[in-house]
Structure formats: C-alpha cells, structure tokens
Amino acid sequence: MKKTITLDRKSLFSKRHRIVIKVGSAVLAPSEKGLDENRIGRLAAEISDLLDQGREVVLVSSGAIAAGLTKLNLTKTKGMPLSLKQAAAAIGQSGLMWMYEKTFSAHGRKVAQVLLTREDLSNRTRFLNARNTLHTLLDYGVVPIINENDTVSVDEIKFGDNDSLSGMVVHLVDADLLVILSDVDGLYTVDPKLDSSAELVSIVEKITADMDRAAGDAQTLVGTGGMRSKIMTARKVGAYGAPMVILNGKKTGMIQALFAGREVGTLFLPRPEKQDSRKHWIAYTVRASGKVVVDDGGREALVNKGKSLLPGGVVKVEGSFKVGECVTCVDRAGQAFARGLVKYSSTDLERIKGLRTTQIASILGRKDYDEVIHRDDLVIL
Ligand code: GLU
C-alpha cells in the first residue's frame, strides 16, 4: 500500500467515459429521518454535470431498506426477520426512485429503475439480456438506477452488498471507472477512530494479500465496516481494467473535484491487462455450485502448464452441480486456486473421478468429453 505516486489524475479521469457510481445508505439516509432529499438533489446535480460533459453514468443506489424502515417507524435492522427487511425494501424503493425522478428531472434527465439478483447475473443468458437493456437505456441518455432486488433476494442468491453489486455492474455495462460514495474519506492506514496517526491512502497501486487480511477485520483498517467488500470490489474491477475510487459522499463537490484532477479519496489503480469478459464473468460473477478437490499433479497442470482439468486429477467432489455450472477448484489443503464451468455433473464426476479419460465410457456408458473443465472455461485465481 503506497500513499503517493506521481500520476496525472486529470488525464486519467478525463478518459473515463462510462462510469458506475455507487452510493451507500449511510450517505443517502444518514439519520432516522430517512432519505436526505438535499443530498440526493446534490448527487443528481453532480451526475447531470457528468452527463453534460458527454459521459454516461450508471448509478447503483442503496437506501431502500433505510427509507422503508423510516416509513414503518422502525430504526434498527439487527435481529429483524428477513421478511420485514424485504418488506421495508419494497416500501422504500418506490420512495427512493421517486426522489431520483424528481431531482434528475430538475436537470432534464430521465432515470430508470433496474432491480437485480445475483441469480440474474450468474445466468449467462440473463446477464447478456440485462447488459442489452442497460446499453439501450444508456443509448437513450437515461440514467439506470440499480439496486438489489431485496424483495426476492435470500442469502443464496444475494450479492451480499451493493459494493459487490457495483463491481459486477462495471463488467455488466463495460464501464471504465467505479466511484464508491461512502461515509468516510477513503481507505486509511489504520483505523482513524482508534489511532490519531491514521493517514488517508491516496493511491493503492496493487491490492496485496496483506491488505486483504487487514481488511478482514474492518475495524482495524478503517473506522467503518465495509472496507473489506470495497477492497474485494476494487480487485474485481481492477481485473477488468477499471480504476476504482472511494470518495466521501457526504461532502459536496467530490465528484467534480475528482474529474478536475484533485487528489481526493482513495484511488485503486487497475491491473494493466484487462481480463476477457467471459473469463471475468467466470472468475467474479457466476455463483459456484460446488467444489472439486484437485490433486497436486492436476493443480500443477492447470496453474503452470495451461492444461484442462481431467477426471484423473479430481480426488473429491463437493456439492451438487449440473453440466455447465461453475465450480471452485481447491487443492488438497482446501485452498481455492481456480474456477471453471464443468462438462460433467457432480453425479457423473463422482463416478469418474481419479480415472483415466479412456475409462470414462465404460463407467458412464458414454464419453461426452475428455475434460471435466476445459481450459477455455477455466480461470486461475
Ligand atoms: N439493497 C439495500 C438497500 O437498498 C442496500 C444494500 C447495501 O447497501 O449494501 O437498502
């Protein structure tokens, strides 16, 4: 983690044309009074400025649950049944969109509501459909406003949080920048609430394993929770060649300051090479339905020799999956090292694991493929 490197920020950001902006509930609904209309109005003004400059913006907005709870005169989500949170989201989402309608139309701008679940992006056909719709909205100059479809989202199909969703949206719409508007200035060297020597990190050139580990305990890295999911999101969008910036969404004018080249927030630089879209989808978007434990020889063939996974390398099958679904490849120690789409179901794989490819037909009565995961459907993590 470096704090300063020389960088022409103005030229970096002037080249960013399609931008995903994620705004959190703590920014939009900072108190128990619910949505802060002034703040939403300022956000609409700042985004409209970007559109006036010829850029395209997709907004990922939280705030539905917070707004719904206020309407129900409830304050805390802790210990609350999932169905009540989902009901609050349903109540709050329409109020949230109403405020965006109002504030964007003051600038002559149109908005569209898009609600997604992880399932929608995990399914390649639905992913591509959502992509087409979003591209069409952008072609018409509309600002898509995306939120998780909380009403139907249960744990298994949840994005987890909107940071994670926004990272997937970068890939979905092929954006070239992600801006996360948070309630803190950015990433700190240590928790600023616990240590007065904490410094804001201006640039992160590379996300190291140390940072991942430190962020595992959000409290030790920064004053608010959620830094871990932001770092994971930065890794995800960085692999897609897009920088990510965390800005304080409670302060006015931060977006303009960023595009003017001022050193604000924390900038995560992307990886130099952009991962292919389908491989990125396999690595970061699709949900894994199971695991295959791979022996040392199989791991070596996949990681260092660019080979496909054959039945002989599989020592154990975990979970239940169908042909075409995604699995995580783990080594004997349980360490995940790859993800890929399988050519055999878990039931068939259970029967052919450890065998030579020449034995597949005699066991299954057919041999559809030599490989369990073809190289083209495999991503090394
Ligand atoms: N979808 C939730 C909401 O609109 C927010 C989830 C999050 O902020 O991560 O209230």
Side-chain angles (χ1 to χ4, degrees), residues 22-26 61-67 85 88-89 93 96 146-150 158 160-165 229:
K22 183 257 167 180
V23 57
S25 304
S61 177
S62 304
I65 295 176
K85 275 192 243 172
Q93 181 65 26
L96 182 64
I146 303 181
N147 197 358
E148 175 145 22
N149 192 355
D150 290 306
K158 253 190 165 316
D161 56 66
N162 275 2
D163 293 327
S164 173
L165 169 61
S229 74

Side-chain angles (χ1 to χ4, degrees), residues 70-110:
T70 304
K71 284 202 180 166
L72 292 172
N73 292 321
L74 297 169
T75 47
K76 287 198 180 89
T77 51
K78 216 170 172 203
M80 196 175 264
L82 178 63
S83 57
L84 185 51
K85 275 192 243 172
Q86 291 178 310
I91 296 164
Q93 181 65 26
S94 59
L96 182 64
M97 282 312 295
W98 163 235
M99 242 175 232
Y100 281 126
E101 281 278 355
K102 231 178 6 177
T103 51
F104 273 96
S105 68
H107 301 274
R109 296 287 171 185
K110 298 182 186 72

Side-chain angles (χ1 to χ4, degrees), residues 224-242:
T224 68
M227 213 31 89
R228 178 159 203 255
S229 74
K230 289 177 179 59
I231 288 175
M232 281 164 63
T233 301
R235 189 189 283 284
K236 193 184 313 183
V237 302
Y240 201 59

Side-chain angles (χ1 to χ4, degrees), residues 270-321:
R271 292 237 292 271
E273 284 185 9
K274 179 173 174 173
Q275 196 170 32
D276 161 77
S277 171
R278 190 165 167 280
K279 293 245 168 164
H280 191 276
W281 177 76
I282 294 172
Y284 296 104
T285 301
V286 68
R287 204 167 55 85
S289 312
K291 278 185 198 167
V292 289
V293 181
V294 177
D295 66 13
D296 295 346
R299 185 186 188 285
E300 171 68 13
L302 296 186
V303 176
N304 296 323
K305 297 190 183 142
K307 296 266 170 52
S308 298
L309 178 66
L310 301 178
V314 178
V315 288
K316 197 170 168 212
V317 181
E318 290 176 25
S320 160
F321 44 85

Side-chain angles (χ1 to χ4, degrees), residues 117-272:
T117 64
R118 176 99 196 241
E119 206 78 327
D120 296 323
L121 302 190
S122 239
N123 176 303
R124 190 74 185 156
T125 312
R126 275 151 77 175
F127 175 91
L128 295 173
N129 279 338
R131 168 176 277 186
N132 288 340
T133 307
L134 286 162
H135 282 164
T136 308
L137 289 169
L138 292 174
D139 287 347
Y140 277 82
V142 175
V143 179
I145 301 182
I146 303 181
N147 197 358
E148 175 145 22
N149 192 355
D150 290 306
T151 319
V152 296
S153 270
V154 287
D155 280 351
E156 307 81 71
I157 58 162
K158 253 190 165 316
F159 292 104
D161 56 66
N162 275 2
D163 293 327
S164 173
L165 169 61
S166 66
M168 292 184 197
V169 169
V170 166
H171 174 213
L172 183 65
V173 300
D174 209 8
D176 41 26
L177 172 66
L178 172 63
V179 177
I180 293 194
L181 298 175
S182 173
D183 62 342
V184 289
D185 286 343
L187 180 70
Y188 284 88
T189 46
V190 285
D191 186 341
K193 283 188 187 150
L194 302 178
D195 188 339
S196 59
S197 71
E199 285 177 62
L200 184 68
V201 179
S202 166
I203 293 186
V204 177
E205 281 179 85
K206 196 166 184 287
I207 298 164
T208 60
D210 272 1
M211 285 178 74
D212 270 342
R213 265 193 298 278
D217 178 1
Q219 296 301 317
T220 62
L221 194 65
V222 73
T224 68
M227 213 31 89
R228 178 159 203 255
S229 74
K230 289 177 179 59
I231 288 175
M232 281 164 63
T233 301
R235 189 189 283 284
K236 193 184 313 183
V237 302
Y240 201 59
M244 181 183 114
V245 183
I246 302 173
L247 293 179
N248 192 331
K250 290 186 160 182
K251 297 183 179 164
T252 309
M254 296 305 277
I255 296 175
Q256 263 57 41
L258 180 76
F259 284 92
R262 279 179 43 206
E263 200 172 313
V264 285
T266 300
L267 163 64
F268 293 80
L269 291 178
R271 292 237 292 271

